[in-house]
Amino acid sequence: MTTSSGEPSPVTARLRPALGLALAVALGVVASVAGAAWPTLGAPVFAVTAGVLLSPLANRWRGALDRGIGLAKGPLLQVAVVLLGAQLSLQQVADVGLSSLPVMLGTLTPCLLLAVLLGRAMHIGSDLRTLIGVGTAICGASAIAAVTPTIRAKDPDTTYAISTIFLFNVLAVLAFPPLGHLLELSQEQFGLFAGTAVNDTSSVVAAAASYGSVAADHAVVVKLVRSLMIIPIVVGLAVLVRCREGVAESAGRGGRVSRLVGLVPWFLIAFVMVVAMNSMGWVPDRSHEVIRLAAVFLIATALAAIGLSTDVRALRRTGPKPMVLGLVLWGSVTSTSLLLIWLTGDGD
């Protein structure tokens, strides 16, 4: 409805933010249900796929949907990252033991270096290679969700990165259990392998559960500890982004503390606070599953919004190079994880 001057009526103007948000929420609900039914794929994949499929329609109604979609892929995504902290505690880090940290760090470092060096050599954009790198090295869609607002990645880059991670997650679920039996890995060793070499939690559980219950339990804990690597990565990327924009140079000599705080995204500070609260037992155990489901739903809603904002033609112009980069990074994480487990005897 419009006024005689052609401007939207006050009622229409107030409803506009709700339209895009309602569409993203609806897709998030559908994706969450589908992800629960097919956990190997997971809600994020269903959400971003549905969003991309509907993006041509969304583009036609861009003016009416933009504000609501922006809310979904901005604040809602950041809240989802905060909620992920309720699954982690410092006690879990101690339970896994320092012996598994060399494997986690040993897989993460070469993966991130390869993402930068090889991605640059292949002329892949900085944001896209960063998203594929952190998604492969840390925890798939959750890491991509945490990094996207920090580096202000464009929607096509986020969509492509999630699609790449998804492909190699499926391959890992199918290939890793037979590989583990071939290499005669123990239950604990395979749990460490799956926890460090598979990305999204649902895929980690799917791969490890088919190997055995002990492997599944060990893999989940390793995976959750691995997720903590999001913290230094996001802080480092935030510093790089702010320095690139000249924020650090424009500030005077005073206010160093405020400048340092400004470099850290608010949602990351909140994430650490939630982890600390969970460590102190302030988050009831019975609420963990509810919070996890809420985080999955919000991530699905945000990724649906990102999918709705995607320019499919831009994805086509990107070509196959990012997928090749993802393949190399996946091979790097897989091989270094197995090598380090063999060298250190971890999981025995």
Side-chain angles (χ1 to χ4, degrees):
M1 181 182 295
T2 60
T3 62
S4 58
S5 63
E7 294 294 324
S9 68
V11 174
T12 302
R14 285 194 295 269
L15 286 176
R16 275 190 171 183
L19 293 175
L21 182 59
L23 179 57
V25 168
L27 293 179
V29 171
V30 173
S32 297
V33 173
W38 293 281
T40 300
L41 300 180
V45 172
F46 284 111
V48 77
T49 302
V52 170
L53 291 176
L54 292 177
S55 62
L57 178 62
N59 285 327
R60 293 177 58 185
W61 296 88
R62 182 60 59 204
L65 299 177
D66 261 355
R67 289 182 62 187
I69 289 175
L71 287 172
K73 66 183 184 182
L76 282 189
L77 180 57
Q78 294 166 350
V79 171
V81 173
V82 174
L83 293 180
L84 291 174
Q87 302 178 65
L88 301 167
S89 71
L90 298 177
Q91 185 62 46
Q92 288 172 326
V93 178
D95 288 342
V96 171
L98 293 177
S99 61
S100 65
L101 291 180
V103 178
M104 283 188 278
L105 295 176
T107 56
L108 185 147
T109 303
C111 179
L112 294 179
L113 286 175
L114 264 177
V116 173
L117 299 177
L118 183 59
R120 187 178 296 164
M122 297 174 69
H123 305 290
I124 296 171
S126 173
D127 289 350
L128 181 53
R129 67 177 182 249
T130 298
L131 293 175
I132 294 176
V134 298
T136 305
I138 305 175
C139 53
S142 298
I144 293 172
V147 168
T148 292
T150 303
I151 64 175
R152 298 164 194 166
K154 296 179 181 178
D155 296 330
D157 289 343
T158 303
T159 301
Y160 205 126
I162 291 172
S163 301
T164 301
I165 297 301
F166 158 68
L167 172 62
F168 297 113
N169 269 341
V170 172
L171 291 177
V173 170
L174 296 175
F176 280 7
L179 178 62
H181 289 299
L182 180 65
L183 297 175
E184 298 182 346
L185 298 180
S186 68
Q187 290 280 313
E188 291 79 6
Q189 286 177 323
F190 188 84
L192 180 56
F193 174 47
T196 53
V198 187
N199 299 312
D200 288 307
T201 303
S202 58
S203 299
V204 170
V205 173
S210 66
Y211 204 81
S213 59
V214 174
D217 292 342
H218 198 76
V220 169
V221 177
V222 171
K223 173 66 176 61
L224 291 175
V225 175
R226 181 182 167 200
S227 299
L228 289 172
M229 300 300 171
I230 290 176
I231 298 173
I233 294 298
V234 172
V235 170
L237 289 172
V239 171
L240 289 175
V241 168
R242 297 298 177 89
C243 290
R244 186 173 59 196
E245 294 175 348
V247 172
E249 295 179 2
S250 64
R253 292 180 61 185
R256 289 184 179 180
V257 174
S258 63
R259 292 205 306 272
L260 287 174
V261 172
L263 291 174
V264 183
W266 74 266
F267 64 90
L268 190 61
I269 297 174
F271 174 87
V272 175
M273 291 175 63
V274 171
V275 173
M277 291 170 60
N278 191 42
S279 300
M280 291 183 285
W282 293 359
V283 180
D285 290 343
R286 62 180 178 274
S287 68
H288 284 178
E289 182 62 15
V290 174
I291 295 174
R292 185 191 69 81
L293 291 174
V296 169
F297 168 69
L298 289 178
I299 288 176
T301 299
L303 293 179
I306 288 172
L308 289 168
S309 305
T310 298
D311 183 349
V312 177
R313 289 174 295 182
L315 283 179
R316 291 172 181 165
R317 290 194 297 269
T318 303
K321 288 183 179 179
M323 197 67 70
V324 175
L325 175 63
L327 174 62
V328 174
L329 297 183
W330 182 60
S332 167
V333 168
T334 301
S335 57
T336 52
S337 176
L338 287 172
L339 178 62
L340 289 169
I341 290 171
W342 177 70
L343 288 176
T344 62
D346 277 332
D348 289 335

